Each structure stands twice: as C-alpha cells, then as structure tokens.
Amino acid sequence: MKLSKLYMPTLREAPQDAEIASHKLLLRGAFIRKSASGIYSYLPLGYRVVRKIENIVREEMDRAGSQEILMSAIQPKEIWEVSGRWDRFGPEMFKLKDRHEREFCLGPTAEEYFTTLIKDEVKSYKQLPLNLYQIQTKYRDEKRPRFGVNRAREFSMKDAYSFDIDPEGMKKSYQEMYDAYEKIFDRIGLEYVVVEGDNGAMGGNQSHEFIALADTGEGVIAYGTGYAATAEKAKVVYPQVPDEEARELEEVHTPNAKTIEDVSSYLGEEKSRCLKAVDFMVQEKPVVVFIPGDREINMAKLEGYLGVPEHEIEAMNDEQIKNVGSVQGFTGPMGIDARLIFDSSVTRLHNLIVGANKEDYHIKNANYGRDFEGEIAEDLLEVKEGDLIEGTNEEYKFRRGVEVGNIFQLGTKYSESIGATYLDQNGKEQIIWMGSYGVGVTRTVAAVVEQFNDDDGIIWPISVAPYHVIITVMKANDKTQMALGEEIYNELISKGYEVLLDDRNERPGVKFKDRDLIGIPLRITVGKKADEKIVEYSTRREKNNVEIELGELYSKIEVDFKNN
C-alpha cells in the first residue's frame, strides 16, 4: 500500500479525553475514531490489526476442534426470559422493539442464543461433544465507558460454547479451550497471566481469566508463588486473634460517631474491634452485611453469595434503615428486622463494638453466638496489602491488567432452564453440560498497545502489525530514490510481506514521526545513497539505523521477521 493513497489522518496531539497510552496512540495513529461515548470506528490501519487478531483466534479455535458460525447481533426477548436474565442482566443491556412491538436486545453475550440454537437439533449422545464459536459484535451500555476501546459499549468478541454429556466431558473441553487460549495470546505476543476468575452474571462452577499485564489496566490481580486470582476472587484469610473472655454488654454514648473511623477514634479502640454494618436493599428486601471494621466489603463476592446481579443490590436510604429499626450510621446486629449476613471472620472476633440502632449510641463487648447471630458467609472481604495467601506465609502481590479472555464452566445453568437435553446410550434423557469461552478481540488491540509503546508511538509485534515493513523515501520527487523504493516495495510484496511505501511529498521529519507513531516493525529508509543501492534499515523496537546494501537487505528482513 502506498501512503499517498492510504486513509491515515494522524494527529500531532491526542484529544483531551484520551486517558491511557492505548487510547491516545490509537487515536493519534489514525487506527480508530470516536463516534460517540464508548463507540468507535476502525480506520484502515486499525481494522487490519483487528483482522490479524481475529485470524489468530480463528486458527487456534479451529485447531482445537471448534466450528465457526455467525449468529445475529439482535436477539429475541423470549430466549432471555426463559433463562431468567431478561430482567436480571441489568441496564447494560440495549433493548429495542421492532415495528410490531416485539422486543429484542443487542446481544451482550450469547449463552441463551447458542443453547437455543442446538437444543432442538442435538438429540443424541452421538452428536456430543460439540464446540461452536463466532466472532461477532457485542453491545453493553456501560455506565462509564472509558479508556477507548478497552471499555466500550460496542466491541468485537469471539465467544465459543462447548456442549458435553457429563461434567468430565465439560472439564475436558474446558482444558482444551484453556490450552487454545494460551496459544492465542502467546502468538499475539502478550505478557499475560491466567487467574481464577469471578463467575459473576455468567454463573457456573469455575472460571479463569487471561489478564494482559498493564499498569493502566482496570482489573487488579492478586498473586504469589503458584497462585493468582482477580482481586474480586482472591480469598482473604483474616488474621487470627487471641481468645478473650466474653465481657458484659455495655451501652456507650458515641455522639456523631457514624463511621468506623469516628467510633474507633472516640472510644480509643482498634478498627478491627468495631463491627462494620453495610445496609442494602436486595431485590427490594433489606439485607445488612457485617464485616470487621478494618476491612472493606467485596461486592463481587457478595453478588456471588446472594446469587443476584449488581444492579439488584442498592444501598438503603435513611427511611429504609429506619423501617428495619435502626438509624443511619448506628446499625447493629441486635434487634433489627432484616436479613443478617456475617463474614465468617466476625464469628472469631471477641468483645466487639456494634451499633446500638439508635442515634449516638454503640454497644461494647458484643459476641457472635451469645448476643447476635445470622447467616455466615465464608469470605466477603476485599483483599489488601499484607494479606497472606491461604495455606502459606506468603503475602499477596498486586498488579494491574486488562482482561482479554475468560473461560467458564457453566455446568447445566443454561441447558436446564432452556431445555437442552440429549438421549444417552440407554435412551434416557439427560441435561447437556456446557462451557463458555470469550476473547475480547478489540480489547486485545488496546492491551497490545498498552504493552508495546514508547514516547514516540506504538511498537507492534509482527504477528498483529497492520503491515510488516515500511519503506520511507526521503525525497519522493527524486527519481532515483523513488525507483529504488518501488523496486524494494515490489520485491518484498512478491516474497509475501505486507508493505507500506511512504511516497508522500512530505518533509522527512513528518514521515519519520508518522513512521514511529504507527509502529510498523521493520523499517527501510531510501535516501542519498539510492544510486549505490544502499539503504538504511532498522527495527521499530531498537531504532538502530544501519546502512545495508540491497543484496543483504532481504535476508536481514527475513531474520528479523522471524524474531519480531
């Protein structure tokens, strides 16, 4: 492709709303353009990268025995009602009606769609296992779209679904997808870790996330030797505390002490001795969660324990707190009309300070089992610095990253509700066991740029670069330079390389800045020694320009192509 013909409107400065490296560089390098909040168009260079990633995903999925199909991005309401997620999925779902008032959604995911597809046609164990996938546009009305294509409202995703006769078959399919994902992200060139994930709204039994490490990533992983998990999933082992004799209850005056910090300071007690109450309305019913005062509640863990999505959990207002028999800032576990849930650590603490459910008062020396009780959840706490990995003396380490892939063992969550069954060898009807597997194609574009950039622009790995080689002709109106540039251009194309020829009538400085910005891996400069068949050569990663004769150029490119 000749740059004089390429639609590549690069920008010298990034728009003010661009926050992270990938957002800035993809905009400046003319890979993407913003259409609306969280909605982007992919320009020629950007779309080439998207297709490169799609092709890697497609090749590894095919090798793993999955079969590609393509389903509509528009999904009927009925299939979501059967699974119960039409109302539960939340405000992230784009909903619409046709002219006949029939309701649809723009698919945010496709568990229901795929399960419905096979349920009337897969009838025998002989048709299983089965694995189907698609690469399709997904839609989620994110509350706060940000970071460019990293968290967008419209995005490209590969989603696959496996169908098996039993749990063992599901686990085998799951491992096959795990292995395929490692090959995908290895080929792309990402530095990534695989962590235990949070099942969230997907449901199911087990999940893993593939996290591309990036300091600007939205997700946090907690890890140590032989263990890694998302911060939402990481297990908290609350420190052991010495046993104490249970003391008598004592009501104390705590004027204006509505927070743990206030109570701790006023009474001169450690935060860990103060019981923190978090007041919620869950599906319009009052629920109060109690945790140690020195910790924060992990909403993902709470959602998993309650089995309801985030949008169905809301903070109580003052009137709702009053209705359960308490006062905002002074909620305690004794004598209130609400569902009470305690993190398991609370049951091992002694002589706690708890809210007295009346203005400006707390109660000292309260103990679980003697003075209050309720449901016990094993772990509802946020992991933090200093926490130990379960069964070890090793503290968690923390890094940020971008989730580029996830895999779920769904079990029978969707097949049972939708009625996807098969007849076994004895002619008995059985429920199909499922897995779900996603790769964020456009999010992976952002993750690559987050890992591969410098002050001058992007440094694409050869596997996903929009072009392999860029030839910069210093003076486009110099016939000798232009002739050599075109000779090299045609020769490289004949050898199977994807090549850009910068034949624009621009100053060399402009050409070099654009070349650095768009990040083509292998670079040839045709200049003053064109008549001697000598050019300058460098890689984008090293930027070490060396003069090289034409006879040696092609073998050098061949070596660097394999190594980049």
Side-chain angles (χ1 to χ4, degrees), residues 70-330:
L70 182 62
M71 304 185 76
S72 173
I74 301 175
Q75 301 184 20
K77 174 184 179 180
E78 291 80 7
I79 63 174
W80 287 80
E81 286 185 313
V82 171
S83 71
R85 289 208 297 174
W86 180 257
D87 295 316
R88 288 207 311 269
F89 198 91
E92 285 77 24
M93 181 185 284
F94 281 100
K95 296 180 180 180
L96 64 151
K97 293 181 180 181
D98 67 12
R99 66 180 67 192
H100 305 294
E101 294 297 308
R102 186 181 177 190
E103 292 187 82
F104 296 85
C105 69
L106 297 178
T109 183
E111 285 73 25
E112 286 85 355
Y113 219 179
F114 271 72
T115 310
T116 302
L117 175 72
I118 64 96
K119 83 178 186 71
D120 292 326
E121 301 187 283
V122 173
K123 288 300 182 183
S124 169
Y125 72 94
K126 295 179 181 178
Q127 295 170 275
L128 300 172
L130 175 66
N131 190 311
L132 303 173
Y133 77 95
Q134 68 173 345
I135 299 175
Q136 174 60 288
T137 305
K138 297 293 188 299
Y139 300 88
R140 293 181 188 171
D141 192 5
E142 294 282 355
K143 186 176 182 179
R144 289 181 293 273
R146 58 194 307 224
F147 298 154
V149 298
N150 191 1
R151 182 163 292 278
R153 295 195 291 169
E154 179 186 64
F155 53 94
S156 176
M157 180 178 174
K158 187 284 300 178
D159 48 339
Y161 300 89
S162 61
F163 305 90
D164 285 277
I165 63 172
D166 53 26
E168 290 70 30
M170 175 189 67
K171 291 174 183 177
K172 183 175 184 293
S173 295
Y174 187 85
Q175 186 61 49
E176 289 169 351
M177 290 293 98
Y178 188 111
D179 296 341
Y181 274 38
E182 288 188 316
K183 293 173 184 175
I184 287 167
F185 296 119
D186 286 345
R187 286 182 60 185
I188 290 171
L190 284 173
E191 180 186 3
Y192 67 94
V193 294
V194 187
V195 303
E196 289 184 17
D198 173 56
N199 288 4
M202 300 292 290
N205 309 309
Q206 183 181 21
S207 69
H208 287 87
E209 295 180 11
F210 291 72
I211 306 291
L213 299 176
D215 291 339
T216 54
E218 284 193 290
V220 176
I221 60 171
Y223 68 99
T225 306
Y227 176 82
T230 61
E232 292 84 1
K233 182 74 173 180
K235 182 174 177 56
V236 173
V237 180
Y238 195 79
Q240 287 289 110
V241 296
D243 285 339
E244 293 181 10
E245 288 288 334
R247 298 194 286 267
E248 288 188 15
L249 293 177
E250 177 186 352
E251 187 175 270
V252 292
H253 188 221
T254 52
N256 299 315
K258 294 186 175 183
T259 68
I260 292 296
E261 288 75 14
D262 294 339
V263 175
S264 171
S265 176
Y266 187 84
L267 296 178
E269 296 280 4
E270 295 291 331
K271 292 180 183 178
S272 59
R273 296 189 76 95
C274 304
L275 191 63
K276 181 183 290 187
V278 191
D279 307 305
F280 294 111
M281 294 298 292
V282 179
Q283 296 177 326
E284 302 181 353
K285 295 180 181 178
V287 175
V288 183
V289 180
F290 295 93
I291 61 175
D294 60 339
R295 304 306 294 242
E296 298 297 329
I297 193 166
N298 183 316
M299 288 303 296
K301 291 178 181 177
L302 179 62
E303 290 165 32
Y305 177 81
L306 294 171
V308 301
E310 178 183 6
H311 72 275
E312 294 186 359
I313 305 174
E314 299 178 344
M316 283 193 204
N317 58 36
D318 289 355
E319 185 65 24
Q320 290 165 333
I321 294 174
K322 182 178 178 181
N323 289 340
V324 302
S326 189
V327 180
Q328 197 275 329
F330 297 92

Side-chain angles (χ1 to χ4, degrees), residues 40-78:
Y40 290 85
S41 299
Y42 288 82
L43 304 189
L45 289 177
Y47 191 49
R48 287 182 70 92
V49 176
V50 169
R51 285 185 292 161
K52 292 284 186 74
I53 293 171
E54 286 180 350
N55 287 339
I56 290 172
V57 170
R58 185 172 283 115
E59 287 170 8
E60 294 304 333
M61 291 300 295
D62 291 350
R63 286 194 183 101
S66 191
Q67 301 173 67
E68 185 173 11
I69 65 173
L70 182 62
M71 304 185 76
S72 173
I74 301 175
Q75 301 184 20
K77 174 184 179 180
E78 291 80 7

Side-chain angles (χ1 to χ4, degrees), residues 442-472:
T442 45
R443 179 176 277 197
T444 299
V445 174
V448 171
V449 178
E450 286 298 317
Q451 290 190 358
F452 297 95
N453 72 81
D454 61 17
D455 291 341
D456 296 320
I458 302 170
I459 309 171
W460 290 110
I462 203 84
S463 60
V464 295
Y467 289 89
H468 303 139
V469 184
I470 184 168
I471 304 165
T472 304

Side-chain angles (χ1 to χ4, degrees), residues 360-393:
D360 292 339
Y361 283 89
H362 281 78
I363 295 172
K364 295 178 69 173
N365 304 325
N367 292 272
Y368 186 89
R370 184 192 74 175
D371 306 308
F372 59 86
E373 58 185 19
E375 297 175 40
I376 299 173
E378 181 181 356
D379 176 20
L380 297 176
L381 305 182
E382 285 272 14
V383 68
K384 70 175 187 178
E385 297 283 349
D387 282 342
L388 299 180
I389 298 172
E390 185 177 25
T392 75
N393 289 318

